[in-house]
Amino acid sequence: MALPSLSTVLAVCILDNDGHRMWAKYYNDRFPTVAEQRTFEKKLFGKTHRSANEIILLDSVTVVYRSNIDLHFYVMGSMDENEIMLHGLLSSMYECVSRLVGKNAVEKKALLDCMDGLQLIVDESVDGGIILESDPDLLMQRLNFRTTEEISIGGVTDKTVMNALNKLSMMI
């Protein structure tokens, strides 16, 4: 039996519809090299990309996952980890990402445009494998992300200002 530990998350990973890594962060030396990480991710994708389940035990790693249009979100913990806690973290991060992309669906292109925000969300959620926060409202408040609907000065949104600047630059 393993000693109790605060380290609950082994990795957070996002794969595209072809099983290629979009983003990943590993918190321990379970998979020390990039080659080992990619081999595990390929095996994981092979087991989960057509499955309707939300949890799998693969190579003594508990994996909770969620699939979307063309993305697969994974949170991994040790075999003894609490699946409910891992699933809560996954749901929280997914909710934050969906708020981050705004009206767009959470898909590959929208995620690529918001990779900096994704990094901040994961860093605020997990530090060194320890879950710090799993409430999406608190995470978004802490990160101070605002959608274009929330940024309004006298009825002029940030998006309207950007459109005006783009038109001016095209005229010049």
Side-chain angles (χ1 to χ4, degrees):
M1 182 172 150
L3 295 174
S5 170
L6 286 177
S7 297
T8 58
V9 178
L10 297 177
V12 176
C13 179
I14 301 173
L15 304 178
D16 68 8
N17 225 19
D18 299 322
H20 299 115
R21 179 190 291 190
M22 293 285 301
W23 187 91
K25 186 161 186 176
Y26 287 79
Y27 295 101
N28 69 1
D29 57 354
R30 171 82 188 243
F31 303 104
T33 66
V34 174
E36 289 178 287
Q37 293 171 6
R38 292 196 187 250
T39 301
F40 180 76
E41 290 166 8
K42 185 176 182 178
K43 188 175 183 181
L44 178 63
F45 181 76
K47 295 281 186 182
T48 61
H49 78 283
R50 295 185 191 263
S51 176
N53 298 328
E54 294 180 344
I55 186 168
I56 187 172
L57 183 63
L58 181 67
D59 295 343
S60 299
V61 175
T62 302
V63 182
V64 292
Y65 59 96
R66 180 175 183 166
S67 299
N68 201 4
I69 298 168
D70 57 356
L71 294 173
H72 302 272
F73 292 77
Y74 299 94
V75 173
M76 300 168 234
S78 71
M79 183 171 63
D80 301 326
E81 271 322 315
N82 184 340
E83 298 88 2
I84 296 172
M85 191 166 36
L86 294 175
H87 189 270
L89 176 65
L90 174 66
S91 297
S92 172
M93 289 193 310
Y94 184 84
E95 174 68 24
C96 288
V97 169
S98 76
R99 289 182 190 180
L100 182 64
V101 298
K103 291 181 180 179
N104 301 326
V106 179
E107 59 186 4
K108 187 175 181 177
K109 183 183 179 319
L111 185 68
L112 286 172
D113 293 338
C114 301
M115 287 302 250
D116 55 341
L118 171 68
Q119 180 68 41
L120 289 171
I121 289 167
V122 175
D123 283 347
E124 286 293 321
S125 300
V126 181
D127 184 26
I130 300 169
I131 298 174
L132 299 177
E133 186 61 64
S134 61
D135 181 4
D137 294 327
L138 289 175
L139 280 169
M140 294 305 284
Q141 182 181 7
R142 186 178 299 163
L143 296 173
N144 197 21
F145 280 124
R146 291 177 285 169
T147 62
T148 56
E149 291 83 24
E150 295 171 333
I151 302 171
S152 177
I153 303 169
V156 178
T157 65
D158 185 42
K159 192 173 184 179
T160 309
V161 173
M162 288 304 294
N163 287 340
L165 289 175
N166 286 337
K167 286 180 183 178
L168 283 174
S169 67
M170 292 177 78
M171 294 169 100
I172 296 177

